[in-house]
Amino acid sequence: MKFTTLFMLGCFLVSSTMLLAQQTISEIQTEADQIKKEEGSISFSYAEKLLELAQMYEIQKDFQKATDLDQEVTLILNTFSDSIPPDYETEYIIQEQLENLRLKQYLIQEKDWIERSIKAKAYLGIMHFFQIAHRFIGSQHEDYLNNWEKAYFLYNSVNYYNLQQARNLWKAITQHRAQESQEESFTHLEVLFGYASFCDRTNDTETYNTLKTTIEKHWPYAFGNNADYVPPQEDLDVKDDITLPEEEGKEENSSIFVSVEEMPRFPGCEALQEDHKEKKACADLKLLQFIYKKITYPTPALENGIQGMSVVSFTVTEYGTIVDFKILRDPGGACGQEALRVIKFMNELPSRWTPGKQRGKHVRVKYNLPVRFKLT
């Protein structure tokens, strides 16, 4: 009896909630119709009310209606964008309203705003959305970085159009980061390193050398030369009386460790309010997701039925950059080369790895990463 009563009470609460949502949708729709009647279908007030209505449909999981309304809002905003009057003061006001509504549409209502733009084939608006995101949330915000990565890997293949778009994305994030921080700051230099890695891969030697020179003014050994270098204590935010151990965890005759108290971590989990072990578990999961989202089964391996484990070795420097790549195991069919290609792409992320630590100091750590290729 008790179960029946609770069940009936639950059904009543659910139906009451749905009824309330329906009532709210009806009220918002009435308000939207009134605005449309008074101001016309192309107005900011009408677009804002449609977004409010779309959000209610999303709560009800009526995604088709929400999508239809979202597309109508996009049409309204594009119409405004294409017909801005030449008067400077009016133009400024309209642009500001456009940005505020696009912010609501793409950054608050739905975090994956780049993915939505890609699905809608609205490629030309992508750079504009990054400008809006920079203005409102900054280039170091998780949503900005996640969407930047999605957009960047859209232009993964090497052809002229893709290279131009990828280069534009790097220019945008480096410009935004420069506006937020000083030239020598880590947050600025880490995106410059990513841009330099992109230029190196795409044979833009002139830009690569310029960026490398700028970076090495502040990160003298970020690109991996001179593994015996120990960075200044003030760069690492550790106490002066902490010294590196001479033997523990080191490879023979080198300053590269194979095991340290805090192992290096793939970017994306440092904002967690957890200890380094929890962050490491989170980072390992993100690393696995990164590898298997970006990897492509090589054609030679597919054609010859080759599968197996590839292992790539690399060193995570005291700055979080990745150097000294080597294929340690290769099942053949270009599997090793494909694993290496994707791992090298980690240097083209806008964020670096968190370096390994031994006794309070950032140190270089050798990392072996297995990548399994399996035919299904």
Side-chain angles (χ1 to χ4, degrees), residues 89-101:
E89 190 172 336
T90 306
E91 178 184 353
Y92 178 80
I93 293 170
I94 291 177
Q95 286 285 17
E96 189 172 33
Q97 286 177 301
L98 270 171
E99 289 190 356
N100 285 332
L101 270 177

Side-chain angles (χ1 to χ4, degrees), residues 21 30 46 57-58 64 101-102 118 121 141 148 158 170 173 202 207 214 229 232 249 289 314 323 333 338 361:
T30 301
Y46 183 56
Y57 277 121
E58 282 192 347
Q64 185 57 54
L101 270 177
R102 278 186 168 144
I118 292 168
K121 295 187 172 17
H141 193 280
W148 188 96
V158 180
W170 276 117
I173 194 171
T202 56
T207 307
T214 301
Y229 171 72
Q289 291 169 341
F314 55 88
V323 298
E338 175 61 12
K361 278 191 175 181

